[in-house]
Amino acid sequence: MGIFQIFGCAVCAAAVAVLLRRTNKELALLLSIAACAVIFTSVMSQFSSVITQISSAVANSSASEILATVLKAVGIAIVGQLAANACKDAGENAIAYTVQLAAKASVLAVSLPLLTQVFKYIEEIMKL
Amino acid sequence: MRNAKHPPKIFFICAAISVLFVFFAPTASAETTVYDGLLEKSGAAELYTALDTDTQQLMSQLGVNSVDDTAEADSIFAVLSSLIREKAAQPLKALAALTAIIILCRLAQCFGGSSVSDTIAFASVAACSVIMVSPLLTLINRTVRCVEAASVFILAAVPVYSALIIAGGSTTAATSYGFLSLAAGSAIPVISSSLVLPMLRILLLLAPLSSFSSLKLSKLSGSLYGLVKWLLVLSVTVFSGVLSVQTLLNSQVDAAGNKAIKLIASSAVPIVGGAFGDAVAAIQSSVQIVKSGAGAFGMLAALCVFAPTAAEAALWSLVCRAAQLAAALFDHTSITAFLEACTTATKTILAVISSVCAVSLVVSAMVLLVKSQA
């Protein structure tokens, strides 16, 4: 999907969602979530070439594992933010906050091996 | 018929060359024997074995396998370029990884909004730390090994150089040179273990801490770097100044003494007095050749001891600077602070390497500066 198709799809989905919200709020919410999912999938398919390019630059080195971890963290952050925004649209601010909290915790959990490695290095420096 | 009676001119020329060769060949051979003997007896021939294995390998790549071998400029440049090519792979991969992390982190902050940006920044700094700290730790260990290797070489070379300076007729200069250089050779490992290594350790520890902490620790690491640089520059300047002035003044004193002895010998001993002075001058010329060779070898050895680590430190410093620039462009403050601290650590390593290399070079160059006085 091209960038102008994405813009068009987003505007149409937003307009239909506004019209639907007057009569059926649940359907409007489902429509906006579906539009988000479609746009996100198409953007990610375009973004995958950038990720491939970056991964090939650091291939066959220890940095590739680190980069994979960072990519996971970035993915969790973006999806978490999308989910939190959807919850906010539905008027569920408490759930949105919990989703954000879960995203933060997941990012920290994913980056835990990196932190462990940093602590190991600090210990090694202290031993010198 | 004419040719049979009068042999061609070429015959006479060949005969003359043969006669000259017969007369002068033993002289040249004797000079080589004297040179080899002086090299062996002074202990200069043993200097190559005082070097560590890595330096010996690098010097053999340059075509220098003993003190009397010389290195060509072409081979020096070829070895240097191959060294940089060999060392550049890891820093370049690290730079690519750092840039990728900075871009991904920025994208996450743009898409993810402000709520998760702090967590992402934390994770990205941890990732940058894992990429940078390990090679910097290796670099610090290599620097310490280089400094120790240079110290061992200085301690092995200074007695040889002093003996050569004494044989060249500069006894007072040799005494002061030997004392100062041995003091430097002994002080370098002590300073390295008690000041330089702890300072580098602190600087490297401050790197991840400066990005995780809200305190402005980058200022502290900058101040530490300034202090170390100032101390190193002061010590190297004082050492070089004192050693050069002391050695040159003492060599002048020795020259005056030697001239007085020669004058007394020439006037007091009839007929052979002048010949005695000339013989001493001839021996001292041979000593000068050995001294120059040993001094030049010492300078080349000092450069070869430090060249690989200096190249590596310079490359990592460039990587830190480039990544710091990228982080600043993407407005990533925590990664910028971390990379700034890493740059300070690499600059300190470079300053230490340059200082100890300068001391090693001055110790070897002094031998070349002291002329034989007859």
Side-chain angles (χ1 to χ4, degrees), chain B residues 22 60 68 237:
Chain B
V22 168
S60 65
D68 52 345
T237 311

Side-chain angles (χ1 to χ4, degrees), chain A residues 17-18 25 31 33 51 65 81 95 126:
Chain A
V18 168
K25 280 186 180 176
L31 181 70
I33 290 170
I51 292 167
E65 285 176 20
Q81 189 64 30
I95 296 174
M126 298 291 277

Side-chain angles (χ1 to χ4, degrees), chain B:
Chain B
M1 287 299 285
R2 187 174 174 270
N3 284 345
K5 279 181 183 177
H6 304 284
K9 280 180 186 174
I10 189 80
F11 174 78
F12 289 110
I13 292 166
C14 287
I17 288 169
S18 306
V19 169
L20 282 172
F21 180 75
V22 168
F23 275 108
F24 287 102
T27 317
S29 162
E31 276 177 11
T32 315
T33 315
V34 168
Y35 175 76
D36 288 340
L38 279 169
L39 204 66
E40 199 70 38
K41 282 176 185 167
S42 65
E46 307 284 320
L47 284 179
Y48 187 76
T49 52
L51 294 166
D52 58 323
T53 324
D54 294 342
T55 313
Q56 281 181 2
Q57 278 177 358
L58 191 64
M59 288 189 83
S60 65
Q61 280 175 21
L62 288 169
V64 178
N65 291 307
S66 62
V67 177
D68 52 345
D69 285 341
T70 52
E72 305 261 330
D74 292 349
S75 66
I76 291 173
F77 285 117
V79 167
L80 265 179
S81 63
S82 74
L83 193 72
I84 290 167
R85 271 201 304 275
E86 184 192 316
K87 299 272 178 193
Q90 203 194 351
L92 286 178
K93 277 189 176 175
L95 179 62
L98 286 171
T99 315
I101 288 169
I102 290 164
I103 292 168
L104 284 174
C105 182
R106 190 65 196 156
L107 281 173
Q109 284 176 341
C110 288
F111 296 150
S114 59
S115 57
V116 286
S117 66
D118 289 343
T119 322
I120 285 291
F122 186 75
S124 61
V125 167
C128 290
S129 302
V130 173
I131 289 171
M132 288 304 295
V133 174
S134 174
L136 289 184
L137 204 60
T138 315
L139 192 61
I140 288 175
N141 289 335
R142 275 189 195 154
T143 308
V144 172
R145 277 208 300 273
C146 270
V147 168
E148 280 167 4
S151 162
V152 167
F153 181 71
I154 289 173
L155 289 175
V158 167
V160 175
Y161 291 160
S162 298
L164 285 170
I165 294 171
I166 290 171
S170 307
T171 320
T172 324
T175 313
S176 68
Y177 167 82
F179 172 72
L180 282 169
S181 303
L182 281 176
S186 311
I188 284 170
V190 176
I191 293 170
S192 161
S193 60
S194 63
L195 177 74
V196 174
L197 185 61
M199 200 64 86
L200 289 174
R201 204 167 63 179
I202 292 167
L203 282 171
L204 197 58
L205 271 175
L206 282 175
L209 291 180
S210 62
S211 50
F212 290 137
S213 163
S214 57
L215 295 168
K216 294 275 180 188
L217 291 172
S218 59
K219 298 281 175 198
L220 179 64
S221 59
S223 307
L224 279 175
Y225 165 66
L227 179 73
V228 170
K229 197 172 80 171
W230 187 83
L231 279 173
L232 286 171
V233 168
L234 182 76
S235 343
V236 171
T237 311
V238 167
F239 172 74
S240 310
V242 170
L243 184 69
S244 53
V245 169
Q246 191 97 0
T247 311
L248 289 176
L249 281 177
N250 285 333
S251 70
Q252 292 305 315
V253 172
D254 288 328
N258 287 344
K259 275 181 184 162
I261 291 167
K262 192 182 170 187
L263 185 70
I264 291 165
S266 302
S267 53
V269 185
I271 305 167
V272 292
F276 172 72
D278 292 340
V280 169
I283 291 166
Q284 282 179 345
S285 300
S286 300
V287 171
Q288 181 69 29
I289 296 168
V290 176
K291 201 150 61 76
S292 305
F297 175 82
M299 289 172 78
L300 188 66
L303 288 174
C304 286
V305 165
F306 290 102
T309 317
E312 208 177 339
L315 284 167
W316 279 110
S317 184
L318 280 175
V319 164
C320 289
R321 277 190 182 276
Q324 190 187 337
L325 184 69
L329 277 174
F330 285 102
D331 197 22
H332 206 306
T333 47
S334 51
I335 294 183
T336 310
F338 167 73
L339 290 169
E340 198 181 338
C342 286
T343 311
T344 309
T346 51
K347 278 197 295 185
T348 314
I349 292 170
L350 268 177
V352 170
I353 290 171
S354 314
S355 307
V356 184
C357 186
V359 169
S360 309
L361 281 174
V362 167
V363 165
S364 301
M366 263 315 125
V367 184
L368 294 174
L369 282 178
V370 179
K371 300 278 178 200
S372 295
Q373 311 287 346

Side-chain angles (χ1 to χ4, degrees), chain A residues 47 54 81 104 121 124-125 128, chain B residues 100 107 112 115 134 141 201:
Chain A
F47 194 63
I54 290 170
Q81 189 64 30
K104 282 180 185 178
Y121 285 142
E124 208 174 319
I125 296 166
L128 277 176
Chain B
L107 281 173
S115 57
S134 174
N141 289 335
R201 204 167 63 179

